[in-house]
Amino acid sequence: MIESLKVTRFKSVRDQSFDFGRVNLFIGGNGAGKSNILEAVGLASACLGRGLGDSDIGSKGLRITPPELVKSSFKNEDLPKTLKLEAKFCDDISYNAVLQSRDNDPLLRFFSEAAFFGKDNIFGRSNRGARATGVTHADRLEKHRGIWDQIKATYDLPDVVADVFSEFSRFVIFSPQTDFLRGKQSGRVDVPPVGLRGEGLPVAVTSFLDAWDELKPRKDQKKNEQRVEWQIMDECTKLVWLPGWAREFGAHRPNPILTSREIADASSDIVYFVDKFMHAKRNQLSVYDSSEGTLFLLFSAIILSHPSAPRVFALDNVDNALNPKLTRKLVEQIIRVVNLTSKTNANWGAKQVFLTSHNPTSLDAFDLFDDNQRVFVVRRNERGHTTAERLQPHPKMSRDDWQLAMNGRNLSQVWLDGDIPGAMGDL
């Protein structure tokens, strides 16, 4: 789990520190910098991943931007030569990276980086050289790839450090798009089980159902003997039933007579749903003919509980295609899954999630008195810098005091009433 990130000179984030919980929601006006915050986390992950090339950045869900434009550029301020990321993780692990770009250079490159376990320096490099087993000079390292990715196979890191870095290096930003979910467009899956925009959904659904069925408890099995991983998957499948019309889903080779002609590859398996209200001979609906919201909920179930899904990820626009009630239900399920995986140390299931939303009901899923659940109001200050302020009660305030201060309103109503400064996009 990443506990904090200090971001300096990255896009609209000029100098800001973020202290994260397990479920983090960013709200605010359009253009305030919510997605930039997610991308800062993604860039820190890329530093511990395959590299900083366009394909590496893109596979994490970051927008492909010329390196010169990745650094902050504000009027009446000097143009910076570098940007800096300082991450702190659980178990007293930290990682810092300073990145640079030069004119006519298509890549971001490492200027310096360092990793620490407590007070012990694990590895690092600067313009004077590198410090790590098997590496003696900086010129032996690729400057657009982090040290850890280049030495992890041979360097004997402490297990806890290797686990944390490996888990965080798989971080991605999911931004599902309807055409990919419906199968109208196809694309590759960079990080299993499903593509960032919904690519490869049929394969992900099949493997999900296989794993779910394999773990399904026996009829004579007691509840306390059931695998927690099955419970997580079972809970997430219930997201698909929330709209109220589907009773089954799966993936199979489509019937050409009953399949839309706009499916990109009608010769491969596609996702289907069974509509409980329709005639038995016409009750299987392909993804193209199904509810967009149901598709988004199925995608969410996959990324929350599939055995191969990243344990730490972001979901941009968690309210995508959902009405207010379903938005709240989805966020509640995200919080339940994260709580369950953290309490039971499950082998899969989401452990830390970052969300953005423009739907006020997303707030109603949060308990602001729970330190693992954090809401940040993102806005631009008078100089245009992105800032993020945590929305939380005063430390000495009780729940009753909070309800009294809010006049009994839930958080969504407080937002709509304009009583959360910055949430509506005002400066």
Side-chain angles (χ1 to χ4, degrees):
M1 170 177 165
I2 180 171
E3 295 181 340
S4 68
L5 180 66
K6 183 177 182 181
V7 183
T8 310
R9 303 182 297 274
F10 175 74
K11 294 190 174 182
S12 63
V13 187
R14 185 65 176 82
D15 188 0
Q16 181 74 31
S17 295
F18 307 94
D19 294 320
F20 301 126
R22 289 197 172 272
V23 182
N24 306 274
L25 175 67
F26 299 92
I27 64 173
N30 296 95
K34 299 184 295 297
S35 295
N36 287 345
I37 295 172
L38 300 187
E39 291 191 346
V41 179
L43 186 58
S45 172
C47 290
L48 292 169
R50 292 183 299 186
L52 301 176
D54 284 354
S55 62
D56 305 309
I57 295 294
S59 68
K60 292 208 164 285
L62 278 70
R63 292 163 289 190
I64 305 300
T65 305
E68 279 297 310
L69 298 181
V70 172
K71 296 178 296 187
S72 298
S73 178
F74 295 98
K75 62 182 181 181
N76 301 321
E77 295 183 18
D78 292 336
L79 293 177
K81 296 181 179 180
T82 62
L83 65 91
K84 188 174 184 180
L85 302 167
E86 301 169 76
K88 292 184 179 180
F89 301 89
C90 56
D91 298 310
D92 202 17
I93 299 166
S94 61
Y95 173 81
N96 306 325
V98 177
L99 308 179
Q100 66 177 354
S101 63
R102 298 173 180 173
D103 292 341
N104 302 317
D105 189 341
L107 295 175
L108 277 172
R109 300 183 187 274
F110 285 92
F111 180 79
S112 66
E113 62 176 325
F116 295 89
F117 184 26
K119 295 182 180 180
D120 296 330
N121 183 210
I122 303 172
F123 60 76
R125 66 172 157 189
S126 65
N127 56 3
R128 294 189 297 272
R131 300 180 304 279
T133 298
V135 179
T136 57
H137 299 91
D139 57 9
R140 296 180 61 181
L141 298 170
E142 296 181 44
K143 291 191 176 182
H144 66 282
R145 290 178 62 200
I147 289 181
W148 185 71
D149 187 59
Q150 298 182 67
I151 66 170
K152 61 185 179 182
T154 57
Y155 188 27
D156 188 21
L157 283 171
D159 288 344
V160 63
V161 176
D163 290 344
V164 166
F165 284 174
S166 178
E167 188 173 85
F168 183 65
S169 70
R170 296 193 69 223
F171 172 91
V172 294
I173 303 170
F174 290 109
S175 302
Q177 297 177 14
T178 303
D179 281 354
F180 289 94
L181 292 172
R182 290 200 188 285
K184 291 178 64 176
Q185 291 192 48
S186 59
R188 68 182 189 183
V189 178
D190 290 305
V191 180
V194 66
L196 303 180
R197 298 169 294 181
E199 302 93 332
L201 185 60
V203 175
V205 166
T206 298
S207 57
F208 175 89
L209 291 174
D210 287 345
W212 185 39
D213 186 60
E214 184 178 343
L215 293 174
K216 189 174 182 179
R218 304 183 308 271
K219 290 183 179 180
D220 61 343
Q221 193 171 3
K222 297 179 181 179
K223 187 172 182 180
N224 60 4
E225 297 175 344
Q226 296 173 5
R227 287 270 307 263
V228 66
E229 290 83 4
W230 182 86
Q231 296 176 34
I232 292 170
M233 298 178 79
D234 189 61
E235 278 290 315
C236 287
T237 58
K238 295 176 183 177
L239 289 171
V240 183
W241 320 137
L242 287 177
W245 63 272
R247 65 173 176 82
E248 183 183 332
F249 67 88
H252 64 179
R253 194 63 57 88
N255 182 337
I257 298 176
L258 301 178
T259 302
S260 169
R261 295 180 179 86
E262 294 194 51
I263 296 292
D265 185 6
S267 64
S268 299
D269 287 355
I270 63 170
V271 174
Y272 70 87
F273 298 92
V274 175
D275 190 322
K276 64 184 180 182
F277 299 110
M278 295 179 65
H279 191 281
K281 293 184 178 180
R282 294 288 186 271
N283 65 354
Q284 285 195 7
L285 301 180
S286 73
V287 285
Y288 185 75
D289 303 302
S290 303
S291 155
E292 182 181 5
T294 303
L295 280 171
F296 183 76
L297 290 170
L298 174 59
F299 177 88
S300 300
I302 295 294
I303 63 174
L304 278 171
S305 61
H306 193 288
S308 300
R311 309 295 301 274
V312 182
F313 65 83
L315 180 56
D316 207 3
N317 294 322
V318 67
D319 49 85
N320 186 4
L322 300 180
N323 65 36
K325 179 181 178 181
L326 292 180
T327 297
R328 177 174 57 82
K329 291 287 188 180
L330 173 56
V331 178
E332 288 174 346
Q333 181 60 33
I334 291 171
I335 293 171
R336 279 197 295 271
V337 168
V338 171
N339 284 341
L340 187 56
T341 57
S342 62
K343 289 178 181 178
T344 62
N345 198 28
N347 291 320
W348 62 77
K351 294 175 68 175
Q352 187 176 27
V353 179
F354 300 81
L355 309 168
T356 66
S357 179
H358 293 101
N359 192 321
T361 57
S362 61
L363 283 182
D364 293 337
F366 279 79
D367 177 2
L368 297 185
F369 286 86
D370 184 342
D371 207 37
N372 286 318
Q373 304 175 34
R374 302 192 181 190
V375 176
F376 299 88
V377 182
V378 182
R379 60 200 299 191
R380 303 282 284 269
N381 64 18
E382 66 281 355
R383 301 179 69 179
H385 304 169
T386 289
T387 64
E389 183 177 355
R390 185 179 171 188
L391 179 65
Q392 61 180 334
H394 189 277
K396 296 183 178 180
M397 185 176 283
S398 67
R399 291 182 183 273
D400 290 339
D401 292 336
W402 173 258
Q403 283 297 314
L404 186 62
M406 297 297 105
N407 293 320
R409 298 172 296 172
N410 55 27
L411 286 172
S412 60
Q413 190 60 55
V414 176
W415 186 353
L416 289 170
D417 289 343
D419 291 336
I420 302 178
M424 291 291 194
D426 52 307
L427 294 177

